[in-house]
Amino acid sequence: MTALLGLLLLGLLLSTVAPRLLARARWVEREPVLGLLVWQCLVVAVLLCCALALLLATSAALPGLRVLLFSGAPHGVEAAYGLQGAEGWGRLCAALLAAGGLQTLFALTREVRSARALRGHRHAELARRAPELPISIGAWRSRRQRREQLVVLESVSPEAWSLPGHRSRLVVTTGALQQLTDRELAAVLSHERGHVRARHHWLSQCAQALATGFPGVGVFSAFRDQVGELVELAADDRAARRHGRLTTALALAELNLGRGVFGACPPGLAQSPRRVDRLLAGRPRLSVTHRLRLTAAALAAPVAALLLAAAPGISALF
């Protein structure tokens, strides 16, 4: 039972202490893509701890499964895990972890179905409202050989967004075409294209499903909030690399001036001014060595869960 308890303790540690450290880290804004990787590794490590603990707990509760699990293992490996005689604790842990796993699966399924239905509705609405593209825009798109279709909606409000999926759409309004310069419009489209090509909607759906399935678990709610911010910063950086930080910041400011977000506004709308300030500040990226160290530390979390689960069996061989 040592491995089972160790996995539970490691999962508890990763889900409580690590999110607080990450939330206070200042490097995340400078490296949003790396920040997304670190958060994903953390969540995968927590889920891996739960899944491996469920496997060990179920093996302790069901002798038949334990025999099947250790059927090909060398002599002494099964005894090293100490699962015999722990049927009571095994049943309790397995029931709790299985309930959590089913809740996660249900929440993820519901989130995916809801997102697909919403995308289908928005695609249908676009097909109904979108006019024919001007010849100049259509020719520009063919020269660039973009995979996403550009759609223009008639609206005085300057807006732009993307619709992911197998029929990806980049949507801009006529108000945005009138208000933005050519370079600013290219930066906005590059930003939205970054969301589509990086599959940010998949990550957002998983984060939302975990936060919805476990509203009391801080690591999942923090993961959802951080994903919502970091995907925008990552898309900003993509646009800034191609069209310049100043152009991207001006485009972001132009699209949000009419919404009042640059004055006193609710917390949910305060992200745009911070993004503009970040682009204008132009802080340099971390060094390659620093990025490699952070990547190794992030990958160490799921590896630690695997090693902890295998530790009793490995020690029995030596």
Side-chain angles (χ1 to χ4, degrees):
M1 294 291 286
T2 304
L4 174 58
L5 295 176
L7 287 169
L8 294 176
L9 290 176
L10 178 61
L12 180 63
L13 180 67
L14 291 176
S15 62
T16 54
V17 177
R20 297 176 184 176
L21 296 177
L22 268 179
R24 292 199 298 262
R26 296 183 178 181
W27 61 265
V28 176
E29 279 196 359
R30 296 169 62 183
E31 296 290 344
V33 175
L34 181 57
L36 287 171
L37 173 65
V38 173
W39 273 105
Q40 290 176 80
C41 288
L42 175 61
V43 171
V44 167
V46 172
L47 295 177
L48 199 56
C49 286
C50 295
L52 293 173
L54 174 60
L55 179 62
L56 293 178
T58 307
S59 300
L62 302 175
L65 178 61
R66 185 167 65 247
V67 172
L68 179 63
L69 181 63
F70 294 99
S71 59
H75 177 73
V77 171
E78 179 180 353
Y81 281 88
L83 299 178
Q84 294 182 356
E87 284 81 1
W89 284 105
R91 292 191 188 97
L92 177 62
C93 292
L96 293 175
L97 292 171
L102 291 175
Q103 189 172 359
T104 302
L105 183 60
F106 175 75
L108 182 58
T109 302
R110 182 177 57 187
E111 182 66 26
V112 170
R113 293 180 63 183
S114 175
R116 284 181 177 176
L118 179 60
R119 285 202 304 270
H121 174 73
R122 296 180 70 181
H123 277 293
E125 184 70 11
L126 278 179
R128 184 181 66 84
R129 294 179 55 193
E132 293 292 334
L133 283 178
I135 297 176
S136 59
I137 296 180
W140 174 82
R141 182 181 178 273
S142 63
R143 288 197 305 268
R144 302 286 291 187
Q145 295 181 349
R146 298 303 185 187
R147 294 193 295 266
E148 301 82 11
Q149 180 178 344
L150 181 62
V151 179
V152 178
L153 289 183
E154 293 183 355
S155 174
V156 296
S157 176
E159 296 182 75
W161 66 91
S162 58
L163 278 180
H166 68 280
R167 295 179 300 142
S168 301
R169 299 289 189 271
L170 304 180
V171 186
V172 294
T173 63
T174 53
L177 294 178
Q178 294 172 358
Q179 188 159 338
L180 300 176
T181 66
D182 291 344
R183 291 187 61 190
E184 291 170 355
L185 178 60
V188 168
L189 294 178
S190 179
H191 173 101
E192 298 302 334
R193 191 173 291 114
H195 286 313
V196 173
R197 296 190 179 181
R199 303 293 190 269
H200 286 161
H201 62 290
W202 289 355
L203 188 57
S204 299
Q205 288 173 15
C206 292
Q208 182 62 43
L210 290 171
T212 303
F214 300 94
V217 181
V219 64
F220 296 143
S221 59
F223 179 52
R224 175 198 57 198
D225 297 339
Q226 289 296 310
V227 164
E229 294 182 9
L230 293 178
V231 295
E232 295 297 335
L233 300 186
D236 286 344
D237 286 349
R238 183 186 192 274
R241 285 193 299 270
R242 287 162 172 77
H243 305 284
R245 288 183 173 273
L246 180 58
T247 300
T248 305
L250 288 174
L252 181 59
E254 289 286 348
L255 290 178
N256 289 277
L257 277 176
R259 301 177 184 177
V261 300
F262 291 95
C265 61
L269 297 177
Q271 186 180 359
S272 295
R274 291 199 300 269
R275 288 166 55 194
V276 171
D277 292 340
R278 172 180 175 272
L279 288 168
L280 294 177
R283 297 182 63 187
R285 298 188 63 184
L286 300 177
S287 64
V288 176
T289 304
H290 196 174
R291 296 201 300 268
L292 289 175
R293 286 201 301 266
L294 290 172
T295 302
L299 296 175
V303 171
L306 293 173
L307 291 178
L308 185 57
I314 296 175
S315 62
L317 299 177
F318 298 98

Short mmCIF file of all heavy atoms in Angstrom, two decimals, residues 156-161 171-192 246-257:
data_model
loop_
_atom_site.label_atom_id
_atom_site.label_comp_id
_atom_site.label_asym_id
_atom_site.label_seq_id
_atom_site.Cartn_x
_atom_site.Cartn_y
_atom_site.Cartn_z
N VAL A 156 -21.27 47.51 -37.57
CA VAL A 156 -20.50 48.73 -37.30
C VAL A 156 -19.52 48.51 -36.15
O VAL A 156 -18.56 49.27 -35.99
CB VAL A 156 -21.44 49.89 -36.96
CG1 VAL A 156 -22.31 50.24 -38.16
CG2 VAL A 156 -22.32 49.57 -35.74
N SER A 157 -19.72 47.48 -35.35
CA SER A 157 -18.83 47.20 -34.23
C SER A 157 -17.56 46.53 -34.74
O SER A 157 -17.63 45.51 -35.43
CB SER A 157 -19.53 46.30 -33.20
OG SER A 157 -18.67 45.95 -32.15
N PRO A 158 -16.38 47.06 -34.41
CA PRO A 158 -15.13 46.43 -34.87
C PRO A 158 -14.82 45.17 -34.06
O PRO A 158 -14.47 45.26 -32.88
CB PRO A 158 -14.08 47.52 -34.63
CG PRO A 158 -14.64 48.36 -33.53
CD PRO A 158 -16.13 48.32 -33.68
N GLU A 159 -14.95 44.02 -34.67
CA GLU A 159 -14.73 42.76 -33.97
C GLU A 159 -14.05 41.77 -34.90
O GLU A 159 -14.15 41.87 -36.13
CB GLU A 159 -16.05 42.17 -33.46
CG GLU A 159 -16.77 43.00 -32.42
CD GLU A 159 -18.04 42.32 -31.95
OE1 GLU A 159 -17.93 41.35 -31.17
OE2 GLU A 159 -19.13 42.75 -32.35
N ALA A 160 -13.40 40.81 -34.28
CA ALA A 160 -12.78 39.70 -35.03
C ALA A 160 -12.70 38.51 -34.11
O ALA A 160 -12.40 38.65 -32.92
CB ALA A 160 -11.39 40.10 -35.52
N TRP A 161 -12.96 37.33 -34.64
CA TRP A 161 -12.88 36.10 -33.86
C TRP A 161 -12.68 34.93 -34.80
O TRP A 161 -12.75 35.08 -36.03
CB TRP A 161 -14.11 35.92 -32.98
CG TRP A 161 -15.40 35.68 -33.72
CD1 TRP A 161 -15.93 34.48 -34.08
CD2 TRP A 161 -16.32 36.67 -34.17
NE1 TRP A 161 -17.13 34.66 -34.73
CE2 TRP A 161 -17.39 35.99 -34.80
CE3 TRP A 161 -16.34 38.07 -34.12
CZ2 TRP A 161 -18.47 36.67 -35.36
CZ3 TRP A 161 -17.42 38.74 -34.68
CH2 TRP A 161 -18.46 38.05 -35.30
N VAL A 171 -13.36 35.34 -38.73
CA VAL A 171 -14.49 36.26 -38.91
C VAL A 171 -14.06 37.66 -38.53
O VAL A 171 -13.50 37.88 -37.46
CB VAL A 171 -15.69 35.83 -38.06
CG1 VAL A 171 -16.91 36.70 -38.38
CG2 VAL A 171 -16.03 34.36 -38.30
N VAL A 172 -14.31 38.62 -39.41
CA VAL A 172 -14.11 40.05 -39.12
C VAL A 172 -15.37 40.79 -39.54
O VAL A 172 -16.09 40.36 -40.45
CB VAL A 172 -12.88 40.62 -39.85
CG1 VAL A 172 -11.60 40.00 -39.33
CG2 VAL A 172 -13.00 40.43 -41.35
N THR A 173 -15.63 41.88 -38.87
CA THR A 173 -16.78 42.70 -39.22
C THR A 173 -16.34 43.84 -40.15
O THR A 173 -15.16 44.19 -40.22
CB THR A 173 -17.43 43.29 -37.96
OG1 THR A 173 -16.50 44.15 -37.30
CG2 THR A 173 -17.85 42.18 -37.02
N THR A 174 -17.33 44.42 -40.83
CA THR A 174 -17.03 45.57 -41.68
C THR A 174 -16.53 46.75 -40.86
O THR A 174 -15.75 47.57 -41.35
CB THR A 174 -18.28 45.96 -42.48
OG1 THR A 174 -19.39 46.15 -41.56
CG2 THR A 174 -18.65 44.90 -43.49
N GLY A 175 -16.98 46.83 -39.61
CA GLY A 175 -16.47 47.89 -38.73
C GLY A 175 -14.98 47.74 -38.48
O GLY A 175 -14.25 48.74 -38.43
N ALA A 176 -14.51 46.49 -38.33
CA ALA A 176 -13.07 46.27 -38.15
C ALA A 176 -12.30 46.60 -39.42
O ALA A 176 -11.21 47.17 -39.37
CB ALA A 176 -12.82 44.82 -37.74
N LEU A 177 -12.86 46.27 -40.58
CA LEU A 177 -12.19 46.58 -41.85
C LEU A 177 -12.04 48.09 -42.04
O LEU A 177 -11.05 48.56 -42.60
CB LEU A 177 -12.97 45.98 -43.02
CG LEU A 177 -13.02 44.45 -43.10
CD1 LEU A 177 -13.87 44.01 -44.29
CD2 LEU A 177 -11.62 43.86 -43.21
N GLN A 178 -13.03 48.85 -41.57
CA GLN A 178 -12.97 50.30 -41.73
C GLN A 178 -12.04 50.95 -40.72
O GLN A 178 -11.40 51.96 -41.01
CB GLN A 178 -14.39 50.88 -41.59
CG GLN A 178 -15.33 50.47 -42.71
CD GLN A 178 -16.76 50.91 -42.44
OE1 GLN A 178 -17.06 51.48 -41.40
NE2 GLN A 178 -17.66 50.62 -43.38
N GLN A 179 -11.95 50.36 -39.52
CA GLN A 179 -11.19 51.00 -38.44
C GLN A 179 -9.72 50.62 -38.44
O GLN A 179 -8.87 51.41 -38.03
CB GLN A 179 -11.83 50.65 -37.09
CG GLN A 179 -11.23 51.41 -35.91
CD GLN A 179 -12.19 51.43 -34.74
OE1 GLN A 179 -13.40 51.26 -34.90
NE2 GLN A 179 -11.65 51.63 -33.55
N LEU A 180 -9.39 49.42 -38.89
CA LEU A 180 -8.02 48.94 -38.83
C LEU A 180 -7.28 49.23 -40.13
O LEU A 180 -7.87 49.19 -41.22
CB LEU A 180 -7.99 47.42 -38.56
CG LEU A 180 -8.64 46.93 -37.26
CD1 LEU A 180 -8.61 45.41 -37.21
CD2 LEU A 180 -7.94 47.51 -36.04
N THR A 181 -5.98 49.47 -40.00
CA THR A 181 -5.13 49.56 -41.19
C THR A 181 -4.86 48.16 -41.72
O THR A 181 -5.19 47.15 -41.07
CB THR A 181 -3.81 50.26 -40.85
OG1 THR A 181 -3.06 49.43 -39.93
CG2 THR A 181 -4.05 51.61 -40.21
N ASP A 182 -4.24 48.08 -42.88
CA ASP A 182 -3.96 46.78 -43.47
C ASP A 182 -3.04 45.95 -42.57
O ASP A 182 -3.24 44.74 -42.39
CB ASP A 182 -3.31 46.96 -44.85
CG ASP A 182 -4.28 47.51 -45.88
OD1 ASP A 182 -5.50 47.46 -45.61
OD2 ASP A 182 -3.83 47.99 -46.93
N ARG A 183 -2.02 46.59 -42.01
CA ARG A 183 -1.09 45.87 -41.13
C ARG A 183 -1.78 45.43 -39.85
O ARG A 183 -1.54 44.33 -39.35
CB ARG A 183 0.12 46.75 -40.82
CG ARG A 183 1.04 47.01 -42.01
CD ARG A 183 2.29 47.73 -41.57
NE ARG A 183 3.04 46.94 -40.60
CZ ARG A 183 4.07 47.40 -39.90
NH1 ARG A 183 4.46 48.67 -40.06
NH2 ARG A 183 4.71 46.62 -39.06
N GLU A 184 -2.62 46.29 -39.30
CA GLU A 184 -3.34 45.92 -38.09
C GLU A 184 -4.32 44.78 -38.35
O GLU A 184 -4.45 43.86 -37.54
CB GLU A 184 -4.09 47.14 -37.53
CG GLU A 184 -3.16 48.20 -36.97
CD GLU A 184 -3.89 49.50 -36.65
OE1 GLU A 184 -5.10 49.59 -36.96
OE2 GLU A 184 -3.25 50.42 -36.12
N LEU A 185 -4.99 44.82 -39.50
CA LEU A 185 -5.90 43.72 -39.85
C LEU A 185 -5.13 42.42 -40.02
O LEU A 185 -5.58 41.36 -39.57
CB LEU A 185 -6.65 44.07 -41.13
CG LEU A 185 -7.60 42.99 -41.66
CD1 LEU A 185 -8.68 42.67 -40.64
CD2 LEU A 185 -8.21 43.41 -42.99
N ALA A 186 -3.96 42.47 -40.64
CA ALA A 186 -3.14 41.27 -40.79
C ALA A 186 -2.71 40.73 -39.43
O ALA A 186 -2.68 39.51 -39.23
CB ALA A 186 -1.92 41.58 -41.65
N ALA A 187 -2.40 41.61 -38.48
CA ALA A 187 -2.03 41.16 -37.14
C ALA A 187 -3.20 40.50 -36.43
O ALA A 187 -3.04 39.48 -35.76
CB ALA A 187 -1.51 42.35 -36.32
N VAL A 188 -4.39 41.07 -36.58
CA VAL A 188 -5.58 40.48 -35.95
C VAL A 188 -5.86 39.10 -36.53
O VAL A 188 -6.15 38.14 -35.80
CB VAL A 188 -6.79 41.42 -36.15
CG1 VAL A 188 -8.09 40.70 -35.77
CG2 VAL A 188 -6.63 42.68 -35.32
N LEU A 189 -5.77 38.98 -37.85
CA LEU A 189 -6.01 37.67 -38.48
C LEU A 189 -4.94 36.66 -38.08
O LEU A 189 -5.24 35.48 -37.89
CB LEU A 189 -6.06 37.82 -40.00
CG LEU A 189 -7.23 38.64 -40.55
CD1 LEU A 189 -7.13 38.76 -42.06
CD2 LEU A 189 -8.56 38.01 -40.15
N SER A 190 -3.71 37.11 -37.92
CA SER A 190 -2.64 36.22 -37.47
C SER A 190 -2.91 35.73 -36.05
O SER A 190 -2.66 34.56 -35.71
CB SER A 190 -1.30 36.92 -37.55
OG SER A 190 -0.25 36.09 -37.10
N HIS A 191 -3.41 36.62 -35.22
CA HIS A 191 -3.78 36.24 -33.85
C HIS A 191 -4.85 35.16 -33.85
O HIS A 191 -4.72 34.13 -33.18
CB HIS A 191 -4.28 37.49 -33.11
CG HIS A 191 -4.84 37.21 -31.74
ND1 HIS A 191 -4.14 37.42 -30.58
CD2 HIS A 191 -6.05 36.73 -31.36
CE1 HIS A 191 -4.87 37.10 -29.55
NE2 HIS A 191 -6.05 36.67 -30.00
N GLU A 192 -5.91 35.38 -34.60
CA GLU A 192 -7.00 34.40 -34.63
C GLU A 192 -6.56 33.11 -35.30
O GLU A 192 -6.98 32.02 -34.91
CB GLU A 192 -8.21 35.00 -35.36
CG GLU A 192 -8.80 36.24 -34.71
CD GLU A 192 -9.24 35.98 -33.28
OE1 GLU A 192 -9.56 34.83 -32.95
OE2 GLU A 192 -9.26 36.95 -32.49
N LEU A 246 4.18 46.70 -31.83
CA LEU A 246 3.41 47.95 -31.86
C LEU A 246 2.15 47.81 -32.70
O LEU A 246 1.05 48.24 -32.30
CB LEU A 246 4.28 49.08 -32.39
CG LEU A 246 3.61 50.46 -32.48
CD1 LEU A 246 3.10 50.91 -31.12
CD2 LEU A 246 4.57 51.49 -33.07
N THR A 247 2.28 47.20 -33.87
CA THR A 247 1.11 47.01 -34.74
C THR A 247 0.06 46.14 -34.06
O THR A 247 -1.14 46.43 -34.10
CB THR A 247 1.54 46.37 -36.07
OG1 THR A 247 2.48 47.22 -36.72
CG2 THR A 247 0.34 46.15 -36.97
N THR A 248 0.50 45.06 -33.42
CA THR A 248 -0.43 44.16 -32.73
C THR A 248 -1.10 44.87 -31.57
O THR A 248 -2.31 44.71 -31.34
CB THR A 248 0.31 42.91 -32.24
OG1 THR A 248 0.99 42.29 -33.34
CG2 THR A 248 -0.66 41.91 -31.63
N ALA A 249 -0.34 45.66 -30.81
CA ALA A 249 -0.92 46.40 -29.68
C ALA A 249 -1.94 47.43 -30.16
O ALA A 249 -3.01 47.59 -29.57
CB ALA A 249 0.19 47.07 -28.88
N LEU A 250 -1.63 48.13 -31.24
CA LEU A 250 -2.56 49.11 -31.79
C LEU A 250 -3.85 48.44 -32.27
O LEU A 250 -4.95 48.96 -32.06
CB LEU A 250 -1.91 49.88 -32.93
CG LEU A 250 -0.82 50.89 -32.54
CD1 LEU A 250 -0.16 51.46 -33.78
CD2 LEU A 250 -1.40 52.00 -31.68
N ALA A 251 -3.71 47.28 -32.93
CA ALA A 251 -4.89 46.57 -33.40
C ALA A 251 -5.76 46.12 -32.23
O ALA A 251 -7.00 46.25 -32.28
CB ALA A 251 -4.46 45.36 -34.23
N LEU A 252 -5.13 45.61 -31.19
CA LEU A 252 -5.88 45.18 -30.00
C LEU A 252 -6.58 46.36 -29.35
O LEU A 252 -7.73 46.25 -28.91
CB LEU A 252 -4.93 44.50 -29.02
CG LEU A 252 -5.53 43.94 -27.73
CD1 LEU A 252 -6.59 42.91 -28.02
CD2 LEU A 252 -4.43 43.33 -26.86
N ALA A 253 -5.89 47.50 -29.28
CA ALA A 253 -6.50 48.68 -28.69
C ALA A 253 -7.67 49.19 -29.53
O ALA A 253 -8.73 49.56 -29.00
CB ALA A 253 -5.45 49.78 -28.52
N GLU A 254 -7.51 49.19 -30.85
CA GLU A 254 -8.57 49.67 -31.73
C GLU A 254 -9.84 48.82 -31.60
O GLU A 254 -10.95 49.35 -31.60
CB GLU A 254 -8.09 49.65 -33.19
CG GLU A 254 -7.06 50.71 -33.53
CD GLU A 254 -7.66 52.09 -33.65
OE1 GLU A 254 -8.89 52.21 -33.67
OE2 GLU A 254 -6.89 53.07 -33.69
N LEU A 255 -9.67 47.51 -31.47
CA LEU A 255 -10.83 46.62 -31.37
C LEU A 255 -11.55 46.75 -30.04
O LEU A 255 -12.73 46.40 -29.94
CB LEU A 255 -10.40 45.17 -31.56
CG LEU A 255 -9.96 44.75 -32.97
CD1 LEU A 255 -9.53 43.29 -32.98
CD2 LEU A 255 -11.09 44.98 -33.98
N ASN A 256 -10.87 47.26 -29.02
CA ASN A 256 -11.47 47.29 -27.69
C ASN A 256 -11.76 48.69 -27.17
O ASN A 256 -12.25 48.83 -26.05
CB ASN A 256 -10.54 46.59 -26.69
CG ASN A 256 -10.50 45.08 -26.90
OD1 ASN A 256 -11.36 44.35 -26.42
ND2 ASN A 256 -9.50 44.61 -27.63
N LEU A 257 -11.46 49.73 -27.95
CA LEU A 257 -11.68 51.09 -27.47
C LEU A 257 -13.15 51.36 -27.15
O LEU A 257 -13.48 52.00 -26.14
CB LEU A 257 -11.19 52.09 -28.52
CG LEU A 257 -9.69 52.40 -28.51
CD1 LEU A 257 -9.34 53.34 -29.66
CD2 LEU A 257 -9.27 53.01 -27.18
#
